[in-house]
Each structure stands twice: as structure tokens, then as C-alpha cells.
Amino acid sequence: MEGNNLIRNERNSSNILKNIKMTQLLLIILILTSLSISYLAYSSLNNMAILNNDMNILHQNIENLNKNEIQSMVNEANRLYENARKLFTGISTAVIIILAVLTFILIKLLKDSMAQINDVLTKLSDYDFTVELQEDGKNEFAQMNRSLYIVIKNMKEALAQIKDRSEEVTGQSQTLAAVSEEMSA
Amino acid sequence: MEGNNLIRNERNSSNILKNIKMTQLLLIILILTSLSISYLAYSSLNNMAILNNDMNILHQNIENLNKNEIQSMVNEANRLYENARKLFTGISTAVIIILAVLTFILIKLLKDSMAQINDVLTKLSDYDFTVELQEDGKNEFAQMNRSLYIVIKNMKEALAQIKDRSEEVTGQSQTLAAVSEEMSA
């Protein structure tokens, strides 16, 4: 009973992963990557355009602008750069960490599922039908496990039927053998 | 013969995909993404730092710099911005396209392999052992196909043995039945 509960708990914890469709996760990774690369490129070009524009204005209107205006423009530019520095460092670090975590979840899912299926297939090739399959979950491998479960169930039933029939035939021939022995006696 | 060649050609063309390990492809995607995000963030901050620094120099040394020096600094800044605009747009577009292609290759690999395995398992659950498996290739599914191939081969052999034995037993009981009939006649 305790063993069963343990297995069930272990299954529940890995269920979160089993409900993630790998194809969907891949699309999420792609969208997240594209958005962050686009944002970084767009935002940095935008900021550079502002700085560049300020510099041109500063250069062209140096005689017309008063000291305070120039000072506020330069302060604004410094603030812009500081903000961008924090934002870009934060965003790129966060995105890379998130992508790494998602990728390793995907790799773990793939490897674990493959290891489980290969384990089942190895047992089956040794005529061991006592294998257990995790059929719960919604991901691609859970669907495959359910198909494999039906195959194993059908094989078990077929073998059981064959066993029954062969026992029947063996029983019949034993009866026949007994009868013929009796008659020849 | 022609049909066989056709099948073989079709297999060779899909072999390129079958030799790609999905886990390796995922790591390649992660590294490519991380490098491009890091590059974009680093390079844009670097460029912004140069522009910002130029602006501060321009502002602080406006009396000491001559017109030509100021003009060349502004030209340099404009060139820097133009280059960054082309480079960032090009790199982010190229990286997003490459990542999209890699992701869709991965999704296609996953879906095709899953569809093939599910097809085989559906046939097996209908006791149809005439399934064909693509055992070539180096990816995770090709390894699984090879394991599944051994299972199917063993099942076929086991069923053939059972059939032989049951025919033997049936033959023996028929002989016994004939003998007992003859004796009782």
C-alpha cells in the first residue's frame, strides 16, 4: 500500500511535465525567443536613434540652445543609457535563463520518455509482459504509451487464449491417450 | 523492384532528418539563441555607451573643440547608428528565421516519428505483424524503432513456434483419435 502511494506521488509530480506537449513547448520557446530578440533589436535601435538625434540637435543648434537646455538633454541621454543598461542586462539574462530551463525540461521529457519506452520494449523483447506503463498525461509520449498498453493487453489476451486452447488440446490428447491405452490393455 | 527503389529514395531523403538527434538540436537552438541575445544586448549597450560618451564630451568641451572635430564626431555617431540599424535588423531577422526553421524541423521530426510509431502500434494491436519500421537513422526514434523491431521479430518467432507446436499436438491427437477409432471399430 505504502509502495503504491509512493509510486502514485512520484507519478503526480512528473505529471506536470507529462501534460506539456513538446510541440507546444517548442512553439512557446520560438515565440519567446523571437519576441525578445525583436524587442532587444527594436528598443536598442530606438534608444540609439534618440541619442544620435540629440547629438545632431546639439551640434546644429549649439548657438541657439541655452546652457540649461543642453544640460537637460545630456542628463536625459545619460538616464536613457543607464535605464537601457539595466533593462537590457536584466531582460537578456532572464530570457536566456528561462530558455535554458524550458530547453532542459524538454530534453528531460524527451530522454525520460525515451528511456521508459526503451525499457518497456527491452522487457517485451524478453517476453516479459509484466511491464508497467505511465498512461496518464497529455503529451506525445503518453499517447504512445496508451497505444503500447493496448498492444501489450492484446498480446497478453492472445497468449492467454493460446495457452487455454493448448491446454484444452493437451487435455483432449491425454484423454485420447488414456482411452487408447485402456482399450489396448 | 521499382517500388523498392522508390521506398529507398524516400527513406534516404528523410534520413538527413533521422540522423539529427533531437536533444542535440535543442542544445544548438539554445546556444544560438543565447549567443544572439547576448550579442544584441552587449553590442547595443556598447554603441549606446559610445554615443552617450560622445554627447558628454561634446557638451563638456564645446569651447575647446574646433568645428571639424565636432563635425567628425557627429559623422562618426551617425555612421555608428546606421551600421547598427542594418546589423541589428539583419541579425535579428536571420536569427529568428533560422530558429523558426530549426523549431519546425524539430516539430516535424517529432510529429512524423510519433505518427509512424503510433501507426505501427495500431497495426500491432490489430495483430497485424506485417508492419515495416524505419530502423535507419541515428535519432532517438530510430533507436526506439530498432527496439520495437526486435519485439515484433520475437513475437513473430514466438507465434510461429506456438503454431508449429499446436500443429504438432493437433497432429498427435488426430493420430490418437484415428488409432482409438480403429481399435474401437
Side-chain angles (χ1 to χ4, degrees), chain A residues 48-49 51-56, chain B residues 47 50-55 58 69-85:
Chain A
M48 280 177 78
L51 287 177
N52 205 44
N53 197 38
D54 279 359
M55 220 173 144
N56 283 318
Chain B
N47 282 352
I50 295 171
L51 285 176
N52 206 45
N53 197 38
D54 279 359
M55 222 173 141
L58 207 62
E69 279 174 324
I70 295 175
Q71 186 64 54
S72 84
M73 267 177 80
V74 172
N75 286 347
E76 183 73 21
N78 286 338
R79 209 178 49 78
L80 195 75
Y81 170 68
E82 261 317 298
N83 281 349
R85 204 170 61 85

Side-chain angles (χ1 to χ4, degrees), chain A residues 18-19 26 67 75 110 117 121 125 142 155 165 176:
Chain A
K18 289 195 149 281
N19 285 328
L26 278 169
K67 260 199 164 178
N75 286 347
L110 202 61
I117 293 254
L121 292 179
S125 68
M155 288 295 147
R165 276 185 207 160
L176 277 171

Side-chain angles (χ1 to χ4, degrees), chain B residues 20-58:
Chain B
I20 304 167
K21 278 209 171 192
M22 279 183 285
T23 43
Q24 284 171 2
L25 194 55
L26 278 169
L27 285 179
I28 290 170
I29 289 177
L30 179 64
I31 291 166
L32 182 64
T33 310
S34 304
L35 284 180
S36 42
I37 288 177
S38 306
Y39 170 77
L40 274 176
Y42 170 78
S43 175
S44 66
L45 287 177
N46 223 18
N47 282 352
M48 279 177 79
I50 295 171
L51 285 176
N52 206 45
N53 197 38
D54 279 359
M55 222 173 141
N56 282 318
I57 293 172
L58 207 62

Side-chain angles (χ1 to χ4, degrees), chain A residues 69-85:
Chain A
E69 279 175 325
I70 294 174
Q71 186 65 54
S72 82
M73 266 178 77
V74 171
N75 286 347
E76 183 71 24
N78 285 339
R79 209 176 49 79
L80 195 76
Y81 171 68
E82 262 315 300
N83 281 348
R85 202 171 62 87

Side-chain angles (χ1 to χ4, degrees), chain A residues 6-166:
Chain A
L6 269 175
I7 290 168
R8 207 161 293 162
N9 281 340
E10 208 182 302
R11 281 192 181 179
N12 279 340
S13 69
S14 67
N15 251 10
I16 306 154
L17 286 187
K18 289 195 149 281
N19 285 328
I20 304 167
K21 277 209 171 192
M22 280 183 284
T23 43
Q24 284 170 3
L25 194 57
L26 278 169
L27 284 179
I28 290 169
I29 290 177
L30 179 63
I31 291 166
L32 181 65
T33 311
S34 303
L35 284 180
S36 43
I37 288 177
S38 304
Y39 170 77
L40 274 177
Y42 170 79
S43 175
S44 66
L45 286 177
N46 224 17
N47 283 352
M48 280 177 78
I50 294 171
L51 287 177
N52 205 44
N53 197 38
D54 279 359
M55 220 173 144
N56 283 318
I57 292 172
L58 207 64
H59 167 236
Q60 277 154 23
N61 304 300
I62 203 84
E63 286 96 12
N64 305 331
L65 291 164
N66 67 45
K67 260 199 164 178
N68 281 343
E69 279 175 325
I70 294 174
Q71 186 65 54
S72 82
M73 266 178 77
V74 171
N75 286 347
E76 183 71 24
N78 285 339
R79 209 176 49 79
L80 195 76
Y81 171 68
E82 262 315 300
N83 281 348
R85 202 171 62 87
K86 282 177 198 153
L87 200 68
F88 285 14
T89 314
I91 283 179
S92 53
T93 311
V95 167
I96 288 171
I97 290 172
I98 291 170
L99 287 176
V101 169
L102 290 180
T103 304
F104 284 114
I105 285 177
L106 213 62
I107 289 176
K108 190 177 154 50
L109 249 177
L110 202 61
K111 282 198 169 171
D112 285 2
S113 305
M114 283 292 172
Q116 206 216 339
I117 293 254
N118 276 330
D119 191 44
V120 167
L121 292 179
T122 308
K123 279 187 179 171
L124 282 182
S125 68
D126 281 338
Y127 309 104
D128 177 0
F129 287 92
T130 62
V131 286
E132 265 200 38
L133 283 164
Q134 294 188 357
E135 304 155 65
D136 43 2
K138 285 176 189 164
N139 79 1
E140 291 85 349
F141 283 101
Q143 289 168 8
M144 196 194 279
N145 277 359
R146 278 191 286 273
S147 303
L148 194 54
Y149 173 77
I150 295 171
V151 172
I152 295 171
K153 210 187 90 200
N154 285 358
M155 288 295 147
K156 273 183 183 170
E157 282 174 8
L159 287 176
Q161 274 181 13
I162 289 168
K163 201 185 155 215
D164 283 354
R165 276 185 207 160
S166 86

